[in-house]
Amino acid sequence: MTGLDLSSPVAVVGTGTMGQGIAQVALVAGHPVRLYDPVPGRADAAAEAIGARLDRLVEKDRLAAADRDAARARLHPAHSLAELADCALVVEAVLEQLEAKQQLFRELEDIVEHDCLLATNTSSLSVTAIGGALRNPGRLVGLHFFNPAPLLPLVEVVSGYASDFSSATRAYETARAWGKTPVACADTPGFIVNRIARPFYAEAFAVYEAQAADPATIDAVLRESGGFRMGAFELTDLIGQDVNESVTHSVWQSFFQDVRFTPSLAQRRLVESGRLGRKTGHGWYDHGADAERPEPHTAEKAQAPAYVVAEGDLGPAAELLTLIREAGIQVREDEEDHGTRLVLPSGGQLVLADGQTSVEFRDVVYFDLALDYRRATRIALSASQDTAPQTLSEAVGLFQALGKTVSVIGDVPGMIVARTVARIVDLAHDAVAKGVATEEDIDTAMRLGVNYPLGPFEWSRRLGRSWACSLLDDLHQRDPSGRYAPSLALYRHAYATEKREGTS
């Protein structure tokens, strides 16, 4: 099955930022487009705004003037729903209110032809519930674009419980014909991106609430060690704290208050105070004209150790051994494999974050996960009040000798990047096991929808199939609330690997 013919009219109902963006995408693809908004005058204003954006594309040599003129000629404001009667596709982008969307589609069902495809751009409501108000719910699907729709390539094509396979396929092929990258998913709370992205925010907020690090430091570690484009605090300031919290709350409620999706109390207080981010001038950060951005914690210069003793291959951090040698520091290898750690001259140990805490052991400093230890510019270390100062100093000096800026945070299990990535990997495995989407589509969605450096399954393959399960199991022992309990899907994935490798 193919997508819509380019001669087929497309309608967009709701002319806010998202509605205008979707209309522009369909228009540039070649369709006649009709804009409708129940508020008088808004459709005309939206058509003018879209025309102005097309003008800017011409000015930037991204669109030919002739194509701009043709697109303008195909764009028509509609002043009643009746004017959408011959449209082959109607995309709804009105308020995120279930009753409003249901009422709109009930009205449309009496106006459009029986083969007209109906689509909702909802980001948080159930496509199944929206379609439940229709006589023929099979023709309703979700087409979830990401803002700004003309620029971001991802579209989640969501099949409700009653959506016809043919409708979902038609929507998928239409999105692809429009130059987008569609991914198919079932109707689950948060779909793919907003479901699997929750730990990126939640774990950063949890580290902050534990007073282990400040927002600037957590953001810096996520960017400079984890490889994420933005940290959780700066990103939610950009999105809007109220918007981000609303999505988190919706997913949490939709999953019957599953502890894995519990909202952050610190973020709730921020919203209650009216500090919603850039749009109000203050969120986690002060965005005033004269405000200075707080600097992340950076350790003072320390002396590098003359040597380290490597016990084991350091697993996901194995590249560190090469970097240490390149820095001129001797690496002595212990012939008896006692684990995966570095022993410092003081006798203290340097261990990759594993879900345990430094206070449980004698003289242990943990270091956080990095996307790429060679390219990482910052590394986080954690130690307890009982860690010997000399051990911490040697650990700091070691990473500084590798050209890294070092941030020392509190003694929280799993640190920052490691616990975040482990939980993202877990939710991704759980989603596949429950038929939400394929591994490939989930990786695509997380890379394109929220600009993650790797998809969850790409992370999983790089880190080892049992890595995330092991770390989360250790975290779960220290926080038995259920938040960190590995999903059955992740457990099966890791356990099957161990059985094949002959372990017990």
Side-chain angles (χ1 to χ4, degrees):
M1 180 175 289
T2 60
L4 301 181
D5 187 276
L6 288 180
S7 63
S8 302
V10 171
V12 178
V13 179
T15 58
T17 301
M18 184 58 77
Q20 290 182 31
I22 296 170
Q24 182 179 329
V25 170
L27 192 65
V28 172
H31 290 276
V33 173
R34 298 192 190 138
L35 287 170
Y36 176 75
D37 196 291
V39 178
R42 282 192 178 175
D44 296 279
E48 292 180 7
I50 293 171
R53 282 199 290 274
L54 296 178
D55 289 340
R56 288 194 291 274
L57 290 176
V58 172
E59 293 169 3
K60 296 177 180 179
D61 293 326
R62 296 178 182 174
L63 184 69
D67 292 335
R68 182 267 318 274
D69 295 341
R72 278 180 172 273
R74 294 194 302 271
L75 180 61
H76 301 285
H79 302 103
S80 70
L81 284 177
E83 296 178 50
L84 313 184
D86 63 339
C87 288
L89 167 65
V90 180
V91 183
E92 164 275 313
V94 301
L95 294 175
E96 284 288 278
Q97 295 176 356
L98 178 60
E99 291 183 0
K101 293 178 186 291
Q102 289 176 327
Q103 178 60 32
L104 170 65
F105 283 117
R106 276 195 294 262
E107 293 179 25
L108 285 169
E109 197 171 30
D110 291 331
I111 294 171
V112 298
E113 297 294 333
H114 71 278
D115 59 348
C116 174
L117 183 63
L118 302 178
T120 172
N121 184 59
T122 184
S123 62
S124 61
L125 298 177
S126 165
V127 173
T128 301
I130 295 171
L134 300 180
R135 294 190 301 274
N136 177 18
R139 61 166 155 173
L140 178 79
V141 298
L143 273 179
H144 182 217
F145 290 77
F146 289 75
N147 195 27
L151 296 180
L152 294 186
L154 184 70
V155 176
E156 292 177 321
V157 181
V158 187
S159 294
Y161 187 79
S163 298
D164 291 336
F165 177 77
S166 59
S167 297
T169 303
R170 193 176 176 203
Y172 185 98
E173 294 301 333
T174 296
R176 185 158 63 178
W178 289 358
K180 295 301 181 181
T181 302
V183 292
C185 65
D187 184 21
T188 183
F191 309 141
I192 297 175
V193 173
N194 280 331
R195 171 179 177 151
I196 295 174
R198 293 351 290 166
F200 179 74
Y201 312 108
E203 295 312 307
F205 298 161
V207 172
Y208 168 74
E209 290 174 335
Q211 301 186 50
D214 60 274
T217 299
I218 297 169
D219 278 352
V221 172
L222 286 168
R223 289 193 314 269
E224 300 170 38
S225 183
F228 293 95
R229 184 168 297 185
M230 299 180 74
F233 296 90
E234 57 189 341
L235 180 54
T236 53
D237 265 4
L238 175 64
I239 295 169
Q241 298 302 329
D242 53 339
V243 174
N244 181 260
E245 192 210 27
S246 176
V247 172
T248 299
H249 195 271
S250 175
V251 172
W252 174 61
Q253 289 283 23
S254 296
F255 276 113
F256 307 104
Q257 300 186 359
D258 187 329
V259 69
R260 295 177 300 167
F261 302 101
T262 301
S264 162
L265 181 58
Q267 188 180 39
R268 174 92 291 263
R269 293 291 179 259
L270 204 64
V271 172
E272 289 174 339
S273 71
R275 295 187 170 188
L276 306 182
R278 292 188 183 183
K279 62 186 176 184
T280 61
H282 208 304
W284 296 110
Y285 299 107
D286 185 349
H287 298 279
D290 300 324
E292 293 185 7
R293 183 67 175 265
E295 293 293 326
H297 173 273
T298 299
E300 295 182 0
K301 184 67 178 177
Q303 181 68 40
Y307 69 90
V308 295
V309 178
E311 297 183 347
D313 62 4
L314 298 189
E319 189 179 20
L320 281 177
L321 297 178
T322 300
L323 299 180
I324 292 170
R325 291 187 178 98
E326 291 175 356
I329 298 172
Q330 182 184 10
V331 177
R332 302 174 183 175
E333 296 187 15
D334 190 339
E335 295 182 358
E336 296 184 11
D337 187 356
H338 298 291
T340 54
R341 55 181 174 257
L342 294 175
V343 180
L344 301 164
S346 63
Q349 300 175 28
L350 190 56
V351 182
L352 175 63
D354 59 6
Q356 302 181 83
T357 56
S358 179
V359 74
E360 301 171 52
F361 305 97
R362 185 185 67 82
D363 223 10
V364 166
V365 173
Y366 278 104
F367 64 96
D368 207 351
L369 180 69
L371 172 67
D372 183 331
Y373 282 99
R374 182 175 293 277
R375 295 183 179 181
T377 57
R378 183 180 298 270
I379 295 293
L381 303 179
S382 67
S384 74
Q385 65 273 21
D386 297 328
T387 304
Q390 181 62 23
T391 298
L392 182 57
S393 178
E394 289 176 346
V396 170
L398 175 64
F399 281 103
Q400 288 175 340
L402 306 185
K404 316 301 182 188
T405 301
V406 176
S407 292
V408 180
I409 70 171
D411 187 20
V412 286
M415 300 191 67
I416 299 171
V417 180
R419 68 196 286 173
T420 298
V421 170
R423 288 208 59 218
I424 289 171
V425 167
D426 181 50
L427 290 186
H429 277 278
D430 184 54
V432 169
K434 292 177 178 173
V436 174
T438 65
E439 292 185 8
E440 182 181 2
D441 276 356
I442 287 175
D443 276 353
T444 297
M446 302 314 290
R447 281 189 282 101
L448 298 184
V450 278
N451 290 311
Y452 283 3
L454 294 175
F457 294 97
E458 293 172 318
W459 271 112
S460 186
R461 288 188 290 272
R462 175 180 290 200
L463 297 170
R465 292 174 59 129
S466 62
W467 176 85
C469 187
S470 177
L471 187 143
L472 290 175
D473 193 49
D474 282 339
L475 267 167
H476 177 57
Q477 292 180 41
R478 286 148 188 83
D479 179 359
S481 64
R483 178 186 180 109
Y484 299 104
S487 67
L488 182 58
L490 187 65
Y491 176 79
R492 283 173 170 160
H493 182 75
Y495 185 71
T497 302
E498 291 178 354
K499 292 291 284 185
R500 282 197 297 273
E501 293 172 354
T503 60
S504 59

